[in-house]
Amino acid sequence: QQPVQSPQAVILREGEDAVINCSSSKALYSVHWYRQKHGEAPVFLMILLKGGEQKGHDKISASFNEKKQQSSLYLTASQLSYSGTYFCGTALEVVSGGYNKLIFGAGTRLAVHP
Amino acid sequence: EAQVTQNPRYLITVTGKKLTVTCSQNMNHEYMSWYRQDPGLGLRQIYYSMNVEVTDKGDVPEGYKVSRKEKRNFPLILESPSPNQTSLYFCASSLSGTGAGNTIYFGEGSWLTVV
């Protein structure tokens, strides 16, 4: 049930773009994205609901493809501060309740260098 | 300031000695949750709670208990800790769950070592 994140790691130069994917084999109710820096708590980035919506947060945006049960996180013109591990968390679509159970991917390590 | 506060932040304990990790939020949030984080496995949900006296199992509830007697507090109880429960634990909260309009706030984490 754990969503699959790809790639596992990315190395960028400042200003380059990156895409991180999160795929599930189950029908999803929502997808969350978080960034975690080493030794710190995860920081919430955004929630996407089924319906194919796209959201943005500064130069970080995400989409949710309901047909593929896949979400992608887009990091444009990367900055040094973008370095960290990115996690997607998925909540399954269930008939009654239970959609507040979050299952996280293993994470994608992103390193941005000058 | 919006906060999720966990205590203790660091703990070394012995196998079988009951311990409680406290979690408190000051945002009047309905939803609270516990996670453990282990290298290569990411975050795994232990338990979550939608409101007072309403709790449910996450992905890895074995060996843990929780209670939600007050809205602001959601303690994690290890009745008989074992070495495989050595991990980094996070408490989190949000206004009303994992749906639209929610921001999930995490505590700073509690490093637990069981020897």
Side-chain angles (χ1 to χ4, degrees):
Chain A
Q1 276 190 345
Q2 185 181 37
V4 176
Q5 284 187 237
S6 62
Q8 289 185 318
V10 183
I11 300 175
L12 297 174
R13 292 282 181 197
E14 239 181 326
E16 291 181 336
D17 302 340
V19 180
I20 300 171
N21 297 307
C22 175
S23 298
S24 174
S25 59
K26 304 276 188 180
L28 298 176
Y29 168 72
S30 66
V31 179
H32 298 211
W33 285 100
Y34 300 83
R35 176 171 61 212
Q36 184 179 30
K37 294 188 181 285
H38 184 69
E40 298 180 7
V43 173
F44 173 80
L45 295 176
M46 63 191 80
I47 293 177
L48 299 100
L49 298 188
K50 65 174 185 174
E53 67 175 289
Q54 183 151 354
K55 280 198 162 185
H57 179 73
D58 196 10
K59 291 181 181 176
I60 300 174
S61 62
S63 64
F64 180 14
N65 186 320
E66 188 180 348
K67 287 184 180 179
K68 292 184 178 180
Q69 301 303 327
Q70 177 176 309
S71 179
S72 296
L73 185 71
Y74 306 95
L75 302 153
T76 58
S78 60
Q79 305 167 15
L80 296 176
S81 61
Y82 285 7
S83 293
T85 301
Y86 289 79
F87 293 98
C88 68
T90 55
L92 299 182
E93 185 175 54
V94 293
V95 175
S96 58
Y99 53 79
N100 288 300
K101 179 177 175 178
L102 273 184
I103 304 170
F104 284 84
T108 296
R109 284 191 172 184
L110 177 72
V112 181
H113 296 287
Chain B
E1 180 190 353
Q3 271 188 332
V4 179
T5 305
Q6 297 178 222
N7 279 296
R9 294 287 316 283
Y10 304 92
L11 180 65
I12 300 175
T13 190
V14 296
T15 299
K17 185 177 181 181
K18 180 180 177 180
L19 70 93
T20 299
V21 186
T22 63
C23 174
S24 181
Q25 48 91 6
N26 64 357
M27 297 167 278
N28 201 34
H29 282 174
E30 291 185 349
Y31 179 82
M32 297 186 75
S33 182
W34 276 103
Y35 302 89
R36 62 176 289 174
Q37 186 172 31
D38 304 287
L41 296 177
L43 289 153
R44 292 182 292 168
Q45 192 175 40
I46 303 171
Y47 271 95
Y48 63 95
S49 169
M50 285 307 298
N51 214 324
V52 174
E53 302 292 2
V54 181
T55 63
D56 210 343
K57 295 178 181 179
D59 236 15
V60 289
E62 296 78 20
Y64 305 94
K65 285 175 59 177
V66 292
S67 68
R68 188 91 182 270
K69 296 178 181 175
E70 303 168 286
K71 200 170 185 180
R72 64 182 292 125
N73 296 322
F74 190 45
L76 179 69
I77 303 157
L78 286 74
E79 292 271 1
S80 183
S82 62
N84 64 13
Q85 292 179 297
T86 292
S87 187
L88 173 59
Y89 291 86
F90 286 105
C91 180
S93 75
S94 76
L95 185 61
S96 58
T98 64
N102 280 290
T103 297
I104 313 292
Y105 295 84
F106 278 83
E108 293 186 331
S110 294
W111 289 92
L112 173 64
T113 301
V114 184
V115 297

